[in-house]
Amino acid sequence: MKKVAVIVAGGSGSRMNTALPKQFLLIKGKPILYYTLATFLEAYNDLTIILVLPEEFISAGQEIIDTFFDYKRIQITTGGSTRFHSVQNGLKLVKEESIVFIHDGVRCLLSTDLIKECYEAAIEFGSAIPVTDSKDSVRIITEDGNEPIDRTSVKLVQTPQTFHSKIILPAFKIDYKDKFTDEATVVEAFGLKVHLIEGEENNIKITKPLDITIAEQILNKSLD
């Protein structure tokens, strides 16, 4: 089946304290976004990418594509005011029945194995949401203060969140709500359950300066 990755890279550099959005910061001499795109293109020869970028940084994204990749496999579109609207813009370019991966552009350390596992699970179950166990103790804020939660029942959600197009395209036609923090919550609001699969510890989201250092160390080990 056709494979499409909607890679959302609409974030700013606010938590990095940089004017340049974090997806364009360099790790080992290449933009963070390079590693994300390269892994998806490597996973499947017939996979195409829809790259969602802030309008003012489309030229920067195009430069990365022109420098490193086959432009025929990557389309660019502009992001929206929220993640929901950015994903919605990307999904408008999905024209055929497909398995659709929706991925954070700054999760640049995922593996091709995870992409393939998401694909196979989405073929079987209609969706695949990678998650990892919580290593920390967890507490929830209540009206009376706070209380602990059994951390074995808590999962930390990653991307690529992967769906059959027959599920994700109609789901994103519903009205936006503040509770939509990811694609799984949108699909659930549409009335469908989602299927969880095991994620990867290295599939971290680059948000703060320390994450850059961690990513460099992980990449160095992968090249050893």
Side-chain angles (χ1 to χ4, degrees):
M1 185 176 291
K2 187 174 176 61
K3 308 166 187 72
V4 181
V6 177
I7 297 180
V8 185
S12 67
S14 58
R15 279 180 284 182
M16 284 287 186
N17 296 317
T18 65
L20 188 67
K22 54 198 173 187
Q23 57 268 28
F24 298 110
L25 298 178
L26 301 183
I27 296 180
K28 296 181 67 64
K30 293 178 180 176
I32 288 171
L33 191 54
Y34 159 82
Y35 296 99
T36 307
L37 297 172
T39 302
F40 274 93
L41 293 175
E42 181 185 349
Y44 292 105
N45 291 332
D46 59 345
L47 180 145
T48 58
I49 290 174
I50 298 167
L51 177 59
V52 186
L53 293 171
E55 186 172 2
E56 61 271 30
F57 289 97
I58 284 180
S59 60
Q62 189 64 57
E63 185 176 345
I64 293 173
I65 294 169
D66 292 344
T67 303
F68 297 108
F69 302 112
D70 177 1
Y71 70 90
K72 294 177 183 178
R73 295 180 65 187
I74 306 174
Q75 290 178 271
I76 296 180
T77 191
T78 55
S81 57
T82 67
R83 178 190 175 87
F84 174 90
H85 294 102
S86 291
V87 172
Q88 194 176 56
N89 286 354
L91 291 175
K92 289 176 182 176
L93 299 179
V94 179
K95 303 299 184 183
E96 302 176 47
E97 185 173 321
S98 314
I99 295 298
V100 182
F101 306 88
I102 304 174
H103 189 66
D104 298 321
V106 291
R107 287 188 185 270
C108 60
L109 300 173
L110 83 163
S111 71
T112 56
D113 286 342
L114 179 59
I115 294 170
K116 292 176 180 179
E117 287 163 12
C118 285
Y119 175 81
E120 295 299 334
I123 287 286
E124 183 174 356
F125 301 103
S127 64
I129 312 298
V131 299
T132 58
D133 294 332
S134 174
K135 296 179 180 179
D136 299 320
S137 295
V138 182
R139 302 187 73 85
I140 187 170
I141 303 300
T142 66
E143 292 182 359
D144 299 323
N146 61 84
E147 59 185 49
I149 298 176
D150 178 7
R151 68 182 177 190
T152 61
S153 66
V154 174
K155 297 295 182 181
L156 307 181
V157 180
Q158 301 181 337
T159 65
Q161 298 191 10
T162 309
F163 306 88
H164 195 290
S165 58
K166 289 183 178 179
I167 292 173
I168 197 65
L169 295 185
F172 264 81
K173 292 180 180 177
I174 65 176
D175 293 334
Y176 170 72
K177 295 179 177 61
D178 289 339
K179 68 178 182 179
F180 293 162
T181 56
D182 64 358
E183 293 68 53
T185 54
V186 178
V187 168
E188 287 170 327
F190 187 61
L192 299 174
K193 298 291 186 182
V194 296
H195 179 74
L196 305 184
I197 70 166
E198 187 174 350
E200 296 178 333
E201 293 294 332
N202 286 351
N203 187 20
I204 63 172
K205 188 175 182 180
I206 308 294
T207 57
K208 298 180 180 179
L210 178 60
D211 298 327
I212 294 281
T213 302
I214 294 171
E216 288 176 339
Q217 292 176 346
I218 292 172
L219 285 171
N220 283 336
K221 288 182 180 179
S222 69
L223 296 174
D224 287 345

